[in-house]
Amino acid sequence: METLETISTHAAYDSKIEGNIIFTRVDAAINWMRKNSLWPMPMGLACCAIELMATASSRFDISRFGMEVMRFSPRQSDVMIVAGTVTYKMALAVKRVWDQMPEPKWCIAMGACASSGGMYRSYAVLQGIDKLIPVDVYISGCPPRPEALIEGLMKLQEKIDAEHSTEDQKRTFFEENA
Amino acid sequence: MPESAVAATDIPALREALREGILSEVEFRGENTLNLSLEALPKALEFCKHKLGYELLLDISSLDHFGDDPRFEMVYELASLDDTRHLRLKAKVSEDESVPTATHLWKAADWHEREVWDMMGIPFSGHPNLKRILMWEGYPFFPLRKDFPLAGRPTDMPDVAFTGVAPLEGGPFVTAPGAETVAKREPRARHQE
């Protein structure tokens, strides 16, 4: 009769399934899945949107990072790339699109205008999209090069990789039911 | 277009039609400008379009001579379709006056006049749809007036839009194009009066 220990040891070295099983944490698996298929919501508002389009095109090709699926429906998007000058007239529309995106969601402020209002210190321009929605990554530049946007997206991948969503859920659950 | 002012050939006809409606005439580098009284403006525009063949309204803009009376000034840029003649008409408007619309002459005047109304707050009489074109309905200020601060003023219309005050950090930063050295020409904070 085999003990439990020998069964598990045996299973791990079973030649039929060897190489097909990976041991990992739930968080690491979820993060790995999330970060490698970020679907961007292109919030193109000014010239930064041209660089955003260049980033998606063949020369720079963000499909290498699994991010090529630009969704014009916020309900199918994971990351909103605010590319350009956010005017006060547009600000609440941007907020509304953001609110329509399902969790988990991230936001990238691309370029000087989206980050801080940029050179537009004026009555018409919101002084940074972070006044309305939480921003995960800021990208400097006016407009940023596609390489800079790709680095921003890779920074976001690093950030997602370090998240503890299930652990946090578990902790909240135990705290609430303690 | 040749350097010589072709539009100058139209000036005598306008002079005869408008008489004392023309306050002064300016010719500068081949550009002809007529300064008109506001009363003469509608007649002048109609005469230019129907009699002189200025089919094209290039632009309508406005100036704010803050502190002067009359305060505002309208500027109309006219051209013929073959692009040989350009003519600029100007007329001063005081704060309590409204400008007769030019929409019945040129469809293009519609949006231009709405922009002037939106940014400068000069009303137009007879305009078919005089509402704001850039800012939203209900925005209480006219941003291009000289007494409106560059940084803006705070407003809030729930569910429509809001505005805040932009941090100028000692600005506005303006260039001095005529200065001797590059360092002096660069944008610097200059004190607002």
Side-chain angles (χ1 to χ4, degrees):
Chain A
M1 209 175 107
E2 288 175 313
T3 60
L4 192 66
E5 197 177 315
T6 50
I7 291 171
S8 61
T9 318
H10 185 68
Y13 290 99
D14 188 337
S15 61
K16 285 176 189 158
I17 56 171
E18 193 181 353
N20 295 330
I21 288 180
I22 299 165
F23 291 99
T24 182
R25 290 174 294 114
V26 181
D27 267 338
I30 289 175
N31 290 344
W32 175 77
M33 288 183 264
R34 280 179 179 166
K35 77 167 192 178
N36 288 307
S37 88
L38 285 170
W39 289 17
M41 164 81 225
M43 182 52 73
L45 300 171
C47 37
C48 279
I50 305 294
E51 296 298 304
L52 175 62
M53 286 179 248
T55 316
S57 305
S58 51
R59 188 183 172 98
F60 297 97
D61 188 16
I62 48 173
S63 68
R64 292 177 291 154
F65 308 94
M67 297 160 188
E68 79 279 18
V69 196
M70 297 272 179
R71 288 288 133 164
F72 293 90
S73 162
R75 300 183 202 285
Q76 300 173 355
S77 311
D78 301 308
V79 50
M80 180 191 252
I81 302 177
V82 184
T85 318
V86 188
T87 58
Y88 284 115
K89 199 172 181 176
M90 192 65 191
L92 291 189
V94 177
K95 176 82 162 65
R96 189 170 170 189
V97 171
W98 170 257
D99 288 341
Q100 287 170 348
M101 285 168 60
E103 297 272 2
K105 56 190 172 185
W106 299 274
C107 176
I108 290 180
M110 180 184 178
C113 293
S115 303
S116 70
M119 64 177 183
Y120 299 105
R121 292 272 180 272
S122 93
Y123 67 94
V125 177
L126 183 69
Q127 301 296 306
I129 191 60
D130 53 4
K131 292 197 185 295
L132 277 183
I133 59 182
V135 175
D136 293 284
V137 176
Y138 298 86
I139 303 171
S140 63
C142 185
R145 292 273 311 163
E147 294 94 321
L149 177 59
I150 290 172
E151 196 188 353
L153 285 160
M154 288 164 76
K155 277 266 181 293
L156 182 64
Q157 284 187 322
E158 285 170 29
K159 186 171 179 172
I160 293 169
D161 209 20
E163 283 179 358
H164 305 277
S165 46
T166 15
E167 269 180 45
D168 291 346
Q169 271 181 21
K170 202 165 75 183
R171 194 181 309 118
T172 330
F173 177 80
F174 282 125
E175 277 167 11
E176 281 171 3
N177 295 284
Chain B
M1 182 185 164
E3 281 301 307
S4 60
V6 187
T9 54
D10 295 327
I11 302 290
L14 273 162
R15 221 179 273 152
E16 195 175 318
L18 300 170
R19 297 181 186 282
E20 64 273 17
I22 298 177
L23 303 177
S24 64
E25 299 169 18
V26 181
E27 187 178 333
F28 179 70
R29 289 185 180 168
E31 296 181 359
N32 288 86
T33 306
L34 289 184
N35 291 302
L36 308 166
S37 66
L38 187 60
E39 292 72 38
L41 181 67
K43 194 183 173 191
L45 291 173
E46 196 171 354
F47 190 78
C48 285
K49 166 132 195 223
H50 292 310
K51 296 290 191 315
L52 300 178
Y54 286 92
E55 299 100 339
L56 189 63
L57 177 70
L58 287 181
D59 197 10
I60 297 178
S61 55
S62 57
L63 306 171
D64 182 3
H65 302 289
F66 185 56
D68 292 1
D69 189 47
R71 176 173 174 180
F72 301 113
E73 188 168 19
M74 295 298 304
V75 185
Y76 293 79
E77 306 277 348
L78 308 181
S80 59
L81 266 188
D82 59 5
D83 204 38
T84 53
R85 293 172 298 153
H86 284 237
L87 183 65
R88 183 180 299 120
L89 301 180
K90 289 183 174 184
K92 296 220 169 180
V93 191
S94 43
E95 274 189 89
D96 50 352
E97 282 178 314
S98 62
V99 181
T101 183
T103 45
H104 59 284
L105 295 170
W106 295 278
K107 282 271 191 287
D110 190 327
W111 282 16
H112 285 308
E113 288 179 358
R114 280 177 64 187
E115 190 184 353
V116 170
W117 160 247
D118 189 2
M119 293 285 113
M120 203 66 95
I122 303 172
F124 290 86
S125 55
H127 192 285
N129 184 28
L130 191 64
K131 57 181 190 185
R132 286 182 177 271
I133 192 169
L134 299 171
M135 307 304 277
W136 46 94
E137 282 298 308
Y139 183 73
F141 305 114
F142 300 110
L144 285 194
R145 287 189 174 182
K146 290 285 183 203
D147 52 354
F148 184 85
L150 181 65
R153 291 183 195 280
T155 65
D156 193 14
M157 274 187 80
D159 300 328
V160 178
F162 67 98
T163 57
V165 178
L168 287 186
E169 307 295 342
F173 296 88
V174 285
T175 52
E180 300 150 19
T181 62
V182 176
K184 283 178 183 166
R185 281 196 292 273
E186 278 180 348
R188 296 265 181 254
R190 313 212 190 270
H191 291 290
Q192 246 180 335
E193 292 130 48

